[in-house]
């Protein structure tokens, strides 16, 4: 796990880094808010620990900039004991949780574990590619802001393909994944659902490519078509 710590108190930063590293986590530290948004954009961090009381731009402004670029990175903010307004504003700006200073390092570690678990679970419920999003929990799909209507089996085929982006998926595999409803389905049925899905996902910039003798591959329309 890779964590970014934004904390301007050198002693507290040192203690915190030591505690997080003792968990086997990699930690980068910045005492300022300015570089945070660019850092979380260019580096694949798993979590941001953000002190609200930073010199220069404060933690709230830092968080605004992080969220403004569409980042869903889990953010745990650190606030002063009496700063209730900071906490409220932080949560409204998109912090996932907060800890009040002074805090026990064991509690910081426990909160980080909860946040990253929650984030991972949430990530898995939404499949996205091109401008298509499938929310598996809500069982709803969209292309951009437009709801996408899918039959139950079309949904199952698309969900199966999108869960395996970059892999050619065999018709037999798809059949097994969708045949819970009806044992009489044949591989021809898979072809039917794929052919119905194609025009539906085309506006999302996606295509389902048939790989002869193997099965199907979902990819973005701009992707190069391999020879053969
Ligand atoms: Ca501070």
């Amino acid at each position: 796990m890779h964590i970014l710590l934004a904390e301007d108190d050198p002693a507290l930063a040192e203690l915190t880094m030591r505690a997080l590293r003792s968990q086997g986590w990699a930690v980068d530290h910045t005492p300022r808010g300015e570089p945070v948004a660019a850092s979380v954009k260019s580096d694949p961090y798993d979590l941001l620990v953000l002190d609200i009381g930073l010199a220069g731009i404060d933690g709230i402004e830092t968080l605004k900039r992080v969220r403004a670029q569409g980042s869903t990175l889990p953010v745990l903010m650190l606030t002063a004991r009496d700063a209730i307004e900071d906490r409220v504003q932080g949560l409204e700006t998109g912090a996932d949780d907060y800890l009040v200073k002074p805090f026990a390092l064991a509690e910081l570690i426990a909160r980080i574990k909860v946040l990253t678990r929650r984030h991972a679970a949430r990530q898995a419920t939404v499949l996205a590619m091109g401008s298509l999003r499938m929310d598996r929990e809500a069982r709803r799909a969209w292309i951009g802001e437009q709801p996408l209507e899918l039959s139950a089996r079309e949904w199952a085929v698309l969900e199966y393909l999108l869960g395996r982006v970059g892999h050619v998926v065999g018709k037999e595999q798809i059949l097994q994944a969708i045949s819970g409803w009806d044992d009489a389905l044949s591989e021809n049925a898979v072809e039917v659902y794929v052919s119905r899905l194609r025009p539906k996902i085309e506006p999302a910039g996606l295509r389902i490519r048939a790989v002869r003798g193997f099965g199907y591959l979902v990819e973005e329309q701009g992707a190069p078509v391999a020879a053969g």
Side-chain angles (χ1 to χ4, degrees), residues 14-88:
E14 188 55 43
L15 268 175
T16 306
M17 277 193 283
R18 216 178 296 159
L20 300 182
R21 284 174 181 152
S22 76
Q23 297 294 306
W25 300 335
V27 186
D28 292 330
H29 169 239
T30 170
R32 303 187 63 86
E34 284 85 353
V36 169
S39 296
V40 302
K41 201 172 187 182
S42 60
D43 288 299
Y45 287 103
D46 299 295
L47 186 113
L48 169 65
V49 178
L50 179 62
D51 182 25
I52 293 301
L54 292 172
I57 68 163
D58 67 8
I60 300 287
E61 179 57 30
T62 303
L63 183 56
K64 273 183 196 160
R65 294 184 186 183
V66 168
R67 292 300 186 226
Q69 59 194 17
S71 171
T72 59
L73 183 73
V75 176
L76 176 62
M77 62 177 174
L78 309 176
T79 71
R81 176 168 290 283
D82 300 320
I84 293 168
E85 271 178 31
D86 278 358
R87 264 169 259 160
V88 172

Side-chain angles (χ1 to χ4, degrees), residues 80-176:
R81 176 168 290 283
D82 300 320
I84 293 168
E85 271 178 31
D86 278 358
R87 264 169 259 160
V88 172
Q89 210 187 343
L91 291 171
E92 282 176 350
T93 307
D96 297 276
D97 198 3
Y98 65 86
L99 264 182
V100 176
K101 291 179 176 181
F103 51 83
L105 290 168
E107 184 171 12
L108 175 68
I109 289 164
R111 295 283 186 96
I112 288 174
K113 286 180 178 169
V114 169
L115 278 186
T116 49
R117 262 203 309 271
R118 201 200 292 167
H119 184 69
R122 200 170 51 203
Q123 289 296 92
T125 64
V126 178
L127 295 171
M129 192 180 189
S131 58
L132 172 71
R133 276 180 306 135
M134 289 181 90
D135 185 333
R136 295 155 123 173
E137 211 166 50
R139 291 197 80 79
R140 293 186 65 199
W142 298 266
I143 292 177
E145 300 298 311
Q146 208 60 28
L148 175 64
E149 298 300 330
L150 297 169
S151 73
R153 285 196 186 116
E154 288 167 357
W155 175 282
V157 171
L158 188 56
E159 183 183 31
Y160 196 79
L161 288 170
L162 275 184
R164 288 154 190 81
V165 168
H167 298 272
V168 178
V169 179
K171 283 183 198 172
E172 179 62 28
Q173 281 173 271
I174 298 174
L175 190 61
Q176 281 176 9

